[in-house]
Amino acid sequence: QVLLQQSGPGLVKPSQTLSITCVISGDSVSSDSAGWSWIRQSSSRGLEWLGRRFYDSKWYNDYAVSVRSRITITSDTSRNQLSLHLKSVTPEDTAVYYCARTRDGFFDVWGQGTLVTVSS
Amino acid sequence: QSALTQPPSASGSLGQSVTISCTGTNSDVGGYNFVSWYQQHPGKTPKVIIHEVNKRPSGVPDRFSGSKSGNTAALTVSGLQAEDEADYYCSSYAGKSFVFGTGTKVTVL
């Protein structure tokens, strides 16, 4: 059974960097049959895919155009975890953030979600 | 990348059917057979119920079915049950990115 356990601060100040970690159990962050995405959900923007990281002989990242200048997704194979870093946040970045396994064009396993509020 | 268009709401009586549309472009829905659907109950995590247009993961009732024609995909829920009342989102691969639909709230009357 694949489980994704997220952790991160619930409150981030404007202009700072939002960082969330997703620990993977039951699969590998460097799996050759899956990628790992970050998705967020807010009442104003609905569900929004932010980006993904996957390994295919080397590491690749794909990012949504809307956050491309501010996002970095990294992985730590020793800890089998994925991380999201979103810099220069504003109140518009307030949302529930999810990590999700990505296979064959869909998201089959989701983390529990992390509510992040951007406020001073 | 613009969100896929879904009707805000849909409803049906117990035992009836409801169909939700999901309209995109030839850069997403029309360009790939990687359309998926997610069910989300209040306060819960989205759950995939259809992937690759019309495939159901194990454990998903066969009351849920998917289809696609051109730039529009559809989810049909047949024999509505009370537990089907939820929000439903479509998603499509869009070439090195993914896009979600605007979401549809299904009410079981």
Side-chain angles (χ1 to χ4, degrees):
Chain A
Q1 182 187 10
V2 178
L3 292 175
L4 308 179
Q5 183 65 41
Q6 299 176 217
S7 60
L11 182 65
V12 180
K13 289 182 166 50
S15 81
Q16 292 190 339
T17 297
L18 176 164
S19 295
I20 305 173
T21 296
C22 175
V23 177
I24 301 161
S25 58
D27 199 347
S28 170
V29 70
S30 55
S31 167
D32 59 3
S33 61
W36 307 91
S37 288
W38 286 99
I39 296 161
R40 67 183 177 183
Q41 184 173 29
S42 64
S43 54
S44 59
R45 301 167 77 102
L47 282 168
E48 180 183 14
W49 177 82
L50 300 177
R52 69 171 173 175
R53 185 167 175 81
F54 62 97
Y55 185 80
D56 186 4
S57 299
K58 66 176 186 177
W59 288 103
Y60 293 87
N61 284 101
D62 293 318
Y63 297 132
V65 170
S66 60
V67 294
R68 187 166 292 162
S69 63
R70 300 191 291 130
I71 190 174
T72 304
I73 297 176
T74 61
S75 57
D76 183 334
T77 54
S78 65
R79 298 180 179 181
N80 205 32
Q81 67 184 35
L82 185 78
S83 295
L84 166 70
H85 306 281
L86 186 66
K87 65 182 183 181
S88 305
V89 296
T90 72
E92 286 206 346
D93 295 308
T94 294
V96 176
Y97 287 76
Y98 295 99
C99 58
R101 189 172 71 170
T102 312
R103 300 179 67 180
D104 297 326
F106 69 104
F107 312 102
D108 66 337
V109 181
W110 295 63
Q112 82 274 24
T114 300
L115 173 60
V116 178
T117 301
V118 179
S119 174
S120 55
Chain B
Q1 191 76 42
S2 298
L4 307 176
T5 301
Q6 297 180 232
S9 62
S11 62
S13 300
L14 276 171
Q16 289 192 331
S17 296
V18 65
T19 297
I20 303 166
S21 61
C22 169
T23 301
T25 69
N26 54 17
S27 295
D28 38 61
V29 174
Y32 305 92
N33 285 324
F34 289 125
V35 176
S36 51
W37 290 89
Y38 302 84
Q39 178 190 62
Q40 187 178 32
H41 289 105
K44 301 295 187 182
T45 297
K47 170 192 170 186
V48 61
I49 54 173
I50 294 289
H51 63 91
E52 293 169 87
V53 177
N54 56 14
K55 298 180 181 178
R56 274 179 293 106
S58 65
V60 174
D62 60 6
R63 303 183 288 103
F64 294 93
S65 62
S67 62
K68 190 187 88 165
S69 177
N71 296 337
T72 299
L75 172 73
T76 297
V77 186
S78 306
L80 273 171
Q81 304 292 310
E83 60 264 30
D84 299 334
E85 186 160 294
D87 293 327
Y88 292 83
Y89 297 89
C90 60
S91 176
S92 175
Y93 180 66
K96 294 191 174 183
S97 67
F98 293 83
V99 61
F100 282 96
T102 50
T104 299
K105 180 175 180 60
V106 169
T107 301
V108 180
L109 303 171

